[in-house]
Amino acid sequence: MHNSYKDNWDNKTLNYDLKRYNFSEWVLNVIQQDYPNLTDLQYLHTCVKSENLVNITDKVQKSFAARSFGKMIDDFAEEYIKPLIGSNKYLVKRFPTLNLVVPNQEKLGRRLHFHQGIFYNNGRGQGTIWMPLTNCYESNSMWIVGYEDSKNITKEVKAFQSCKVRMKLLTNSMEKRSKLF
């Protein structure tokens, strides 16, 4: 990673105009179509059953296809991202990813695992902007690690995944052989 990127992106906080780029309000308005009693995303977990969160996530992510949302993202990137990367060209993911993380998520059978874009075929040289839509605390939040820790964890996970694939291939091979006899 280029040093200027690390200087601007490694676990940094970006202050931006929340009135102009009110992503939280967008998400709330979409969810209110099905849950009109929800008045604050902070309390989503009190209005929506855990098993319905996947459907809510899908609906909100589909709403990101609206031109007005795309314009808001493009304007945001031009105003806040472009100055951080200088004259380098950049691309913005067509549809942002929404991860709903609720308090005490493991007790509800949910857990947001370690996430690194390369595991989802996002490729190298890409950065992630984490934009919490509610106040973050203890068990209702993603946790962010710095660049060096992320590199080390990614190496470990990739090694583990590679080992799992080899084990699966070996298991499949053994199953095929046992069927021959």
Side-chain angles (χ1 to χ4, degrees):
M1 178 182 278
H2 192 275
N3 280 340
S4 66
Y5 288 174
K6 280 202 277 190
D7 293 343
N8 289 324
W9 294 94
D10 190 14
N11 249 343
K12 303 294 184 204
T13 299
L14 175 70
N15 293 308
Y16 64 93
D17 184 342
L18 291 169
K19 286 186 169 97
R20 183 166 179 209
Y21 303 107
N22 200 335
F23 302 110
S24 188
E25 181 179 61
W26 179 281
V27 171
L28 178 62
N29 288 337
V30 172
I31 294 173
Q32 284 177 329
Q33 293 169 10
D34 295 327
Y35 297 90
N37 295 332
L38 179 66
T39 58
D40 186 334
L41 288 176
Q42 194 81 13
Y43 303 106
L44 175 72
H45 63 287
T46 65
C47 298
V48 179
K49 292 180 181 177
S50 178
E51 59 266 18
N52 295 335
L53 293 175
V54 171
N55 292 335
I56 295 272
T57 301
D58 289 344
K59 182 173 184 167
V60 171
Q61 287 193 178
K62 286 177 183 170
S63 80
F64 294 158
R67 285 185 187 201
S68 56
F69 187 83
K71 177 159 177 28
M72 184 167 51
I73 290 287
D74 289 344
D75 291 348
F76 174 86
E78 187 70 20
E79 185 172 343
Y80 292 100
I81 306 309
K82 189 175 182 179
L84 295 175
I85 62 172
S87 61
N88 295 305
K89 291 183 179 183
Y90 65 92
L91 296 172
V92 176
K93 188 174 179 181
R94 184 172 181 192
F95 301 111
T97 300
L98 176 69
N99 290 306
L100 289 178
V101 182
V102 295
N104 301 313
Q105 58 182 326
E106 287 189 35
K107 288 182 183 176
L108 298 172
R110 295 178 53 86
R111 189 172 80 195
L112 183 63
H113 298 280
F114 175 76
H115 176 88
Q116 215 286 13
I118 202 162
F119 302 152
Y120 299 89
N121 297 319
N122 288 344
R124 295 183 169 274
Q126 296 188 13
T128 298
I129 299 174
W130 175 51
M131 302 176 84
L133 302 177
T134 64
N135 293 328
C136 298
Y137 58 87
E138 299 168 6
S139 68
N140 83 330
S141 178
M142 275 192 340
W143 293 83
I144 308 298
V145 298
Y147 176 71
E148 292 300 325
D149 287 337
S150 179
K151 270 181 37 179
N152 293 334
I153 293 169
T154 300
K155 284 178 189 174
E156 289 179 28
V157 170
K158 285 174 76 176
F160 177 72
Q161 287 176 333
S162 176
C163 181
K164 277 179 34 181
V165 168
R166 283 193 297 264
M167 287 299 291
K168 185 172 182 158
L169 290 173
L170 178 62
T171 303
N172 288 343
S173 176
M174 291 172 71
E175 285 175 7
K176 286 178 186 174
R177 274 188 249 152
S178 67
K179 289 178 184 177
L180 293 174
F181 296 104

